[in-house]
Amino acid sequence: MRNDLHLQTLTATALGWVDPATDAMAMPLSPSTSFLRDPNNLGRSGRYFTRDDNPTFLQPEALINQLEGGAGCLLFSSGMAAIVSVFQRLKPGDHVVIPKFVYSGLREWLQSQGARWGLQVSTLSEYTADTVKAAIRPGQTKIVWLETPSNPTWSIVDISVIADVAHSAGAIVAIDNTVATPILTRPIAHGADIVLHSCSKYMNGHGDLIAGAAVVAPGQEQLLQDMRNQRNENGGVLGGFEAWLLLRGMRTLYARVKTSSETAMKIAEVLIQNPAVSEVLYPGLPSHPNHDIAARQMTGGYGGMLSFRLMGGELAARRMAANVQIFRQAISFGSTESVIEHRADVEKSGSPTPRDLLRVSVGLEHPEDLIKDLTNALAIADSADFEAQIVAV
Ligand code: PLP
């Protein structure tokens, strides 16, 4: 497909692909495990077994690759399978740099499996050119990991600044772009070498699929080939049906991300005025410490994820999460329906997440309904007769 088209057009048309065998405009699903060999025992289609490859992967991989401006994409069985395969290429003794606030599953993997693997990890409270430069161990640092906005405080990092520092030390920049999605940030254009996604979130967008993806920048094709081999050897391959569902979900990615960003902005502006809230963490607010970077780097919105802290501390946060009616108290994000979560509870020991913090994923409901729901739950959480109210719910 032409590469001068807007992301909105690329997603809505799923690259405009039509099945050559049937002229079907919706991609057919190919559930086959095996592919026929010819009399010489060679795969006629170049395929043999779905753990290597499946035709249903091609369209979602091509679409994600084009959205990210990459040189190639691979689907994985989950976001974690994609993320971990970047670290599993490393050798014992190799060093990586990660931010303090990062998706907790990665932090926990590095503490458990990564430690057994012999990886050395530096965790930085602040991600600036100076802090990253100081953390880099020449010859030993192989990956500088970014997430922007990052879980669950939605800190923003200037990707190009960090990429310059990492590249001059011979390290690659890997970025988890699950939250921003390529609709709001295209990290390869800012110097990232590899972009990872949990497609279980916005990419699919309907809360009914676990999937992951990796996209490499031009020049990093060998990295992708290594990860392809690893995907086969580790077995972290996506099912054909999930790949099909993913492509269907991505057709509405643009509209979903835009709507949830607009609503999240409205919610952040209301919450910041509420006396029961001590802090609202959202990159779209001018009060966010890196709002200026977000305004430069993010395109057309600040995302559907925001967090806030309560004056009443942990108890008030728990009370509030127990008293929403439209938001659901649940894990994960990026679906059509809004969810709220006491994040410190679900992150394992060593979590830096404040205990008075609630994380919300803003869905596609009407903003007024969501604002009313949060405002009511805040009032209940703040009230003295909370115990009576929770029994009545
Ligand atoms: N990256 C981020 C930012 C996430 O929030 C998650 C899951 O919550 C993952 C990666 C892992 O993805 P998955 O659940 O698809 O394995």
Side-chain angles (χ1 to χ4, degrees):
M1 188 170 221
R2 287 160 38 192
N3 54 16
D4 61 334
L5 296 175
H6 289 89
L7 302 189
Q8 184 171 0
T9 306
L10 297 177
T11 50
T13 60
L15 299 182
W17 185 85
V18 173
D19 178 30
T22 62
D23 279 350
M25 293 170 69
M27 176 181 74
L29 166 58
S30 179
S32 192
T33 312
S34 303
F35 298 88
L36 198 63
R37 289 177 185 259
D38 67 13
N40 296 318
N41 207 22
L42 296 173
R44 291 195 299 198
S45 63
R47 289 191 187 85
Y48 297 92
F49 191 46
T50 279
R51 207 177 67 221
D52 306 313
D53 197 8
N54 178 294
T56 321
F57 300 165
L58 293 179
Q59 278 312 108
E61 285 178 347
L63 178 55
I64 296 172
N65 188 50
Q66 192 149 347
L67 294 177
E68 289 288 7
C73 172
L74 274 182
L75 294 180
F76 285 82
S77 56
S78 66
M80 274 309 283
I83 287 173
V84 159
S85 76
V86 181
F87 291 95
Q88 286 181 329
R89 294 178 61 255
L90 302 185
K91 293 196 274 306
D94 282 347
H95 174 247
V96 302
V97 181
I98 63 163
K100 174 176 166 189
F101 288 104
V102 71
Y103 167 56
S104 60
L106 168 61
R107 184 172 53 243
E108 287 152 15
W109 187 89
L110 286 168
Q111 281 163 1
S112 55
Q113 317 278 2
R116 275 202 284 280
W117 203 271
L119 300 183
Q120 309 288 314
V121 182
S122 293
T123 305
L124 304 186
S125 304
E126 257 198 283
Y127 241 54
T128 63
D130 288 344
T131 60
V132 172
K133 206 178 283 175
I136 280 180
R137 303 179 191 167
Q140 204 189 343
T141 304
K142 297 293 189 278
I143 297 174
V144 175
W145 186 269
L146 308 186
E147 192 184 319
T148 179
S150 75
N151 258 292
T153 53
W154 317 117
S155 316
I156 298 289
V157 171
D158 190 326
I159 304 166
S160 58
V161 166
I162 304 301
D164 284 349
V165 174
H167 291 156
S168 60
I172 63 162
V173 170
I175 178 161
D176 184 334
N177 201 28
T178 300
V179 171
T181 80
I183 304 304
L184 301 180
T185 305
R186 299 178 84 209
I188 289 173
H190 298 279
D193 299 292
I194 180 163
V195 179
L196 290 309
H197 279 282
S198 167
C199 299
S200 327
K201 315 297 193 276
Y202 290 103
M203 285 295 205
N204 172 57
H206 292 76
D208 52 10
L209 166 69
I210 297 285
V215 183
V216 293
Q220 294 292 345
E221 289 81 357
Q222 187 55 48
L223 171 56
L224 196 74
Q225 185 55 43
D226 291 352
M227 288 172 70
R228 184 183 289 280
N229 296 343
Q230 241 175 298
R231 182 180 71 172
N232 176 299
E233 288 160 7
N234 288 347
V237 72
L238 196 63
F241 181 58
E242 283 75 10
W244 183 90
L245 257 187
L246 174 59
L247 186 72
R248 190 177 66 163
M250 279 197 296
R251 284 179 180 267
T252 55
L253 176 68
Y254 187 91
R256 287 185 285 100
V257 168
K258 285 286 175 181
T259 301
S260 58
S261 293
E262 282 165 23
T263 307
M265 189 73 215
K266 289 184 182 142
I267 292 175
E269 283 166 346
V270 170
L271 285 179
I272 206 167
Q273 307 292 339
N274 193 307
V277 172
S278 59
E279 189 180 9
V280 179
L281 302 157
Y282 186 64
L285 289 175
S287 58
H288 185 283
N290 303 121
H291 174 70
D292 57 328
I293 303 174
R296 259 188 285 121
Q297 193 167 265
M298 299 184 78
T299 46
Y302 297 95
M305 299 302 298
L306 68 92
S307 297
F308 51 96
R309 302 178 67 182
L310 282 94
M311 287 298 221
E314 176 172 359
L315 188 59
R318 289 178 180 284
R319 285 173 173 182
M320 178 169 180
N323 277 281
V324 286
Q325 301 287 330
I326 295 172
F327 278 84
R328 301 298 173 121
Q329 191 172 193
I331 199 161
S332 202
F333 59 86
S335 186
T336 55
E337 60 196 337
S338 297
V339 296
I340 190 163
E341 189 173 38
H342 185 257
R343 201 56 204 158
D345 251 6
V346 299
E347 296 183 351
K348 298 208 175 95
S349 66
S351 159
T353 299
R355 300 204 66 86
D356 59 0
L357 178 145
L358 290 173
R359 181 184 91 171
V360 301
S361 167
V362 177
L364 305 180
E365 303 92 335
H366 197 287
E368 283 171 15
D369 293 338
L370 294 177
I371 288 169
K372 211 183 293 170
D373 193 28
L374 291 176
T375 310
N376 288 344
L378 267 171
I380 295 172
D382 225 20
S383 75
D385 57 346
F386 166 71
E387 298 304 338
Q389 305 246 20
I390 200 170
V391 170
V393 163

